[in-house]
Amino acid sequence: MRVALLTEGVHPYARRSGGWCRRLVEGLPEHEFQLHLLATEASAQAPAGPETYELPLWGRRPGGRSPAAHRRRLYGRAYREFVRALVLPGERASFAPGLYRLAELARQDGALSAFLASGHAQRILEREWRAPGADTAAGQPLVRDVLVAGDLLEQCLRPLTAPWYGEGPGRLGSVDLCHVVGGGPAALPALVAKQLHGVPFVVTEHGLHLREQYRSYRSAPYRWPVRALLLSFFRLLTEETYRQAAVLTPGSAYDQRWQQHCGADPARTRVVHEGTEAVGRAAAGAEPERPTLVWAGALEPGRDAELMLHAFAGVRAELPEARLLVHGEESAPGYLAHCQEVAARLGLGSSVTFAGRPRGLAQAWAAGTVVVFTGLTQRSPRLLADAMLSGRAVVTTEVGVAREVVGPTGLLVPPRSPQALAAACLALLRDEERRARLGLAGRLRAQERFAVEPVVTAFREIYLELVSHWPAFPAGDGSAGEPLRPFARPAEYWVAGALAEAH
Amino acid sequence: MQRRTTGEAADPAGQGENGAGGFADPVRELMVRHREVCEQAVDPLEIAAALEDSGLGPPEAARYRHADVFTLAEELYARVPRSPTAQRAAAEPAGWRFGPLGWGRLALGLLPAGPLWWAEPGLAVAAVGGVAVAEPVGRWLDRAARGHLGAAATLAEYRARMRPVLPVAVLLHLALVLAGGFAAMVVTAVLEPPDTGLLREAVTRATPVEWAALAAAALLQLLAVVLRSRPALAAQALALAVAVAGGAGPPALLLGCGAAGALLLPYAWARLGRPGAADHAERSAPRHGP
């Protein structure tokens, strides 16, 4: 079958990307893939891989004609409905109709971007935003808020003007299903394709797009009204995506809880862990002679390397020959110096090494006796799973995905608690037999859950199941209002239809 | 599940018997700790994300008598009132760029000095000076527009605030250029002492048409800076071409530049009343997750 992969960011065949899409495409050679990429940067040379259709998402507006005068009113009406859904808490339900209407208009003349940048659209946005009843709890929008928000909305809605709709090669009308990887604006083409052509879609998210928006907008240089409008857009878009998606595959049960809170149907949700190629790696060899704790992660307050240092001071009081290796690059300016100062103040001296970025993660884990994670939050299971695959015992704070990833194969401690962390580290450093047992169990657990093959198998099944539930000709006999039922018609029906057409 | 909770401080928020640091109402302590996030939040999910970032998960939410972080965040959102935002530092707008358009402006701005030189060198000097003056005046206009953009509440108010800005800028620019022309003429008059009064000679040395040509050329210089666009530059070039075709004298210059200025001035005035996102807004793409 023909599958359209929709994603945002860098090309999945480029070296910097995680390569999840590449593994999926290579694992399912029986299906034909085409890639629709909302590029954050233009990829100069299209790398090998499935045929790719790119659309630049961010940055300056691509030139284009404004809509014709008689169509401006149509655009205005649709945009008004859309904006009302964003700013009036009671009008949320008009988000989807407004969005689809804008998509329809954009498909007809491709002038949506030009319209959204026009003074007409600015006036509509301002009028609705300042209308009584709009959610302006922390301040009315000013002119520049109208400009900035209009500009950001224009960028977010660019996928609606992509030349991807309709039938024909490279169009979404002629694929059997869409697979959205990452959510957010990348889901817009899939929503339109479903509405227009009845193409079902799957949504895979590793690290939720909506949650990342909430996190990043907190420090964005926008005033409250702009943040409220844009986050309302992302939230409504996410809810509509979850509502329309045939299957959702979050990367962890932690993400699944968020999705369910945003209206995802548990019956259509299936957790598919992110596979990693590190599964094939050999276990780390013999332990180092001196008892060593390894810590790895970006050096920033959220990862809480400081907690590690405090706990290590407790470990060292009991076990003076213990060492601590801190791997990772500084991502918050000045944090490394702060950690070094804390280490000096605690009198840790040369027993702590700030080793910077490791050459390879495998070597980093192998250099330790026990691997420790102290983050205040763990949104992605990637690093944790990689550590478990080394066969070293793991101690981690019980946040985010930690509990479901580590399970019974490691020690979980509450965050911000040096004593508990020190006690857990000491318990493992003193008990070689337990260490080995937990390490092996962790490695087996990670191999089972994070292998690439189960991911591919899961999607092979999901694709087939989906297509079997979807009638082949959605707009076939004008019964659009009816709910779609699997196997509603016998196979002969279709054969007869094909024969009738042939004659 | 092997879970270690050895040590007294294993329980991070609890220092007292009532669970959360001496507050009878355990959520109050969270409200105090996350006050800023709660005040600025746009919806409960934002608080939930912030709580999770600070290490709070389902086990701890249970300690605040909530099923999960989301309902806890909803309680916080409901209990902490939104407060008007402290003005965040807006991103610095794009600086004054002197690109290829700038060089084009410079060249076209200098050209009118030619016809004027043959008529009256003093006025030509003033026209050259006009190019130098136009840039700061344009920059002042930009700053004024940015200031009004930050202060105006509605588009209509912005338009009203911007209405006098261009006329003031034009008058300022013309006054500066004509004053420069007058000064240059005084210097010329000093070099060739006249029979009549020095000041009177400075004014009457050049004909009214020549003065008007200088003013028209100065107007066009300013408009090119204000509009900063290719079409405006093209209009300026066209005006000069007309002047050259018309014999390259001050009357032709007056005709070409005057007509172009009369056309461009209302356009520029209307355009300045429309806040253009591309010109002023702090443009940046929303940042993204991993």
Side-chain angles (χ1 to χ4, degrees):
Chain A
M1 75 184 74
R2 200 163 171 81
V3 181
L5 276 177
L6 297 151
T7 188
E8 181 193 333
V10 290
H11 194 286
Y13 277 64
R15 280 183 53 199
R16 283 190 299 112
S17 78
W20 189 87
C21 291
R22 181 167 51 82
R23 286 197 292 274
L24 184 74
V25 171
E26 284 167 3
L28 293 170
E30 70 268 35
H31 296 313
E32 207 178 321
F33 284 92
Q34 64 189 47
L35 180 72
H36 295 261
L37 182 68
L38 302 179
T40 40
E41 55 191 87
S43 46
Q45 178 69 48
E51 40 183 313
T52 305
Y53 306 93
E54 257 188 45
L55 182 83
L57 187 56
W58 309 115
R60 224 155 239 291
R61 181 168 67 86
R65 286 179 307 104
S66 303
H70 66 282
R71 294 181 56 81
R72 273 202 6 212
R73 273 190 39 238
L74 300 177
Y75 268 107
R77 210 174 302 146
Y79 188 53
R80 182 170 304 119
E81 192 180 3
F82 176 76
V83 169
R84 283 177 78 81
L86 300 184
V87 299
L88 296 172
E91 303 248 346
R92 297 258 152 90
S94 65
F95 175 78
L99 184 71
Y100 293 132
R101 184 83 186 106
L102 283 177
E104 191 190 336
L105 292 169
R107 218 164 44 240
Q108 287 163 357
D109 62 2
L112 178 65
S113 286
F115 169 77
L116 291 178
S118 71
H120 186 51
Q122 286 169 0
R123 281 192 297 277
I124 291 174
L125 179 57
E126 180 182 66
R127 194 165 53 235
E128 298 305 329
W129 211 350
R130 298 179 74 90
D135 183 14
T136 48
Q140 289 273 339
L142 302 178
V143 173
R144 58 200 173 107
D145 298 333
V146 171
L147 296 187
V148 173
D151 198 27
L152 291 173
L153 278 181
E154 185 270 311
Q155 299 184 40
C156 291
L157 291 178
R158 258 178 224 175
L160 297 183
T161 49
W164 296 342
Y165 310 106
E167 309 278 336
R171 305 293 179 110
L172 293 176
S174 54
V175 299
D176 294 302
L177 65 92
C178 294
H179 189 161
V180 181
V181 183
L188 280 170
L191 283 171
V192 175
K194 173 161 185 215
Q195 210 242 353
L196 195 65
H197 310 292
V199 178
F201 67 95
V202 188
V203 176
T204 297
E205 282 189 290
H206 301 125
L208 298 183
H209 182 273
L210 181 64
R211 188 175 56 212
E212 294 308 322
Q213 297 306 316
Y214 278 116
R215 296 182 63 247
S216 63
Y217 266 84
R218 210 182 308 147
S219 53
Y222 306 130
R223 293 180 69 244
W224 191 89
V226 177
R227 281 193 306 131
L229 185 91
L230 261 294
L231 289 172
S232 166
F233 166 73
F234 283 121
R235 180 157 187 189
L236 291 175
L237 175 63
T238 305
E239 285 175 356
E240 174 66 10
T241 307
Y242 291 170
R243 205 176 303 128
Q244 297 295 334
V247 176
L248 293 167
T249 60
S252 62
Y254 166 65
D255 285 353
Q256 189 191 2
R257 279 196 295 278
W258 268 80
Q259 291 194 335
Q260 276 176 21
H261 190 75
C262 297
D265 177 6
R268 289 185 283 122
T269 308
R270 201 165 143 184
V271 175
V272 179
H273 293 286
E274 193 180 345
T276 163
E277 272 160 356
V279 163
R281 212 168 57 196
E287 291 180 346
E289 282 176 16
R290 272 176 78 179
T292 308
L293 299 175
V294 172
W295 185 96
L299 285 173
E300 59 185 20
R303 295 276 182 182
D304 215 359
E306 221 180 318
L307 172 66
M308 182 71 251
L309 296 172
H310 284 287
F312 182 64
V315 169
R316 215 161 150 263
E318 304 267 326
L319 207 67
E321 74 269 27
R323 279 196 323 142
L324 171 64
L325 270 172
V326 176
H327 280 289
E329 281 175 308
E330 189 176 43
S331 63
Y335 193 70
L336 176 60
H338 172 72
C339 286
Q340 282 165 337
E341 193 192 317
V342 169
R345 203 173 62 225
L346 292 169
L348 298 178
S350 61
S351 59
V352 175
T353 315
F354 288 91
R357 188 187 174 84
R359 269 203 314 272
L361 280 172
Q363 285 103 305
W365 312 132
T369 319
V370 171
V371 180
V372 190
F373 292 92
T374 59
L376 293 174
T377 164
Q378 301 213 23
R379 291 181 297 278
S380 161
R382 228 167 286 158
L383 201 60
L384 206 50
D386 202 282
M388 286 164 71
L389 285 169
S390 70
R392 294 280 190 252
V394 171
V395 179
T396 170
T397 43
E398 190 189 343
V399 288
V401 296
R403 181 186 278 267
E404 61 179 294
V405 173
V406 173
T409 69
L411 301 192
L412 294 162
V413 295
R416 297 181 195 276
S417 167
Q419 285 91 338
L421 183 61
C425 292
L426 272 172
L428 282 185
L429 286 177
R430 280 175 173 156
D431 190 342
E432 191 181 344
E433 192 269 334
R434 187 175 176 204
R435 214 158 59 213
R437 191 160 43 77
L438 285 178
L440 179 62
R443 179 170 156 82
L444 294 178
R445 185 182 167 91
Q447 276 182 334
E448 185 189 321
R449 297 196 154 205
F450 294 95
V452 176
E453 189 48 43
V455 177
V456 172
T457 312
F459 281 103
R460 183 177 292 132
E461 285 169 12
I462 287 171
Y463 287 175
L464 287 178
E465 191 188 315
L466 256 187
V467 170
S468 72
H469 280 206
W470 231 262
F473 309 104
D477 52 346
S479 57
E482 282 176 31
L484 302 165
R485 276 186 300 126
F487 307 112
R489 300 186 184 103
E492 292 83 359
Y493 173 88
W494 301 112
V495 176
L499 286 176
E501 268 176 38
H503 283 273
Chain B
M1 178 79 51
Q2 302 183 22
R3 178 158 176 207
R4 305 290 303 197
T5 45
T6 23
E8 275 69 46
D11 130 15
Q15 296 106 29
E17 262 150 36
N18 53 7
F23 288 101
D25 169 12
V27 180
R28 251 194 105 69
E29 181 246 350
L30 268 188
M31 277 166 61
V32 172
R33 205 179 338 144
H34 297 282
R35 161 138 252 123
E36 205 203 336
V37 170
C38 296
E39 279 176 348
Q40 305 292 318
V42 303
D43 97 34
L45 275 182
E46 185 175 350
I47 301 183
L51 289 179
E52 284 191 345
D53 276 358
S54 73
L56 199 140
E60 246 204 285
R63 291 172 19 77
Y64 296 102
R65 301 183 204 128
H66 276 279
D68 53 24
V69 182
F70 303 112
T71 55
L72 178 58
E74 268 158 26
E75 182 181 341
L76 286 173
Y77 185 77
R79 288 180 63 179
V80 178
R82 310 278 83 71
S83 85
T85 17
Q87 201 65 46
R88 292 201 189 195
E92 216 25 56
W96 187 272
R97 278 191 303 269
F98 200 80
L101 275 183
W103 290 109
R105 275 205 307 273
L106 195 64
L108 288 178
L110 287 175
L111 279 181
L116 286 171
W117 180 263
W118 302 120
E120 197 52 66
L123 296 186
V125 170
V128 171
V131 175
V133 175
E135 294 283 331
V137 171
R139 214 168 301 188
W140 170 80
L141 197 141
D142 242 34
R143 221 174 19 248
R146 231 171 11 246
H148 288 315
L149 193 63
T154 61
L155 291 166
E157 187 191 335
Y158 177 78
R159 206 161 41 245
R161 278 163 171 265
M162 284 303 286
R163 219 163 278 149
V165 171
L166 185 64
V168 167
V170 167
L171 288 180
L172 180 70
H173 183 66
L174 287 186
L176 285 173
V177 171
L178 291 180
F182 182 69
M185 296 301 276
V186 168
V187 171
T188 343
V190 168
L191 293 179
E192 307 166 20
D195 316 330
T196 54
L198 195 69
L199 296 182
R200 189 186 161 76
E201 169 67 11
V203 176
T204 51
R205 256 181 94 90
T207 60
V209 169
E210 284 163 3
W211 280 109
L214 174 64
L219 176 67
L220 216 52
Q221 285 167 350
L222 181 70
L223 288 176
V225 172
V226 168
L227 288 171
R228 258 182 297 153
S229 64
R230 238 164 281 252
L233 221 54
Q236 200 182 3
L238 195 68
L240 293 171
V242 167
V244 169
L253 194 67
L254 172 62
L255 187 70
C257 290
L263 283 177
L264 283 181
L265 193 62
Y267 169 69
W269 197 52
R271 218 191 96 142
L272 284 178
R274 257 197 340 255
D279 294 340
H280 308 287
E282 37 290 46
R283 286 182 76 95
S284 65
R287 276 155 310 150
H288 286 272

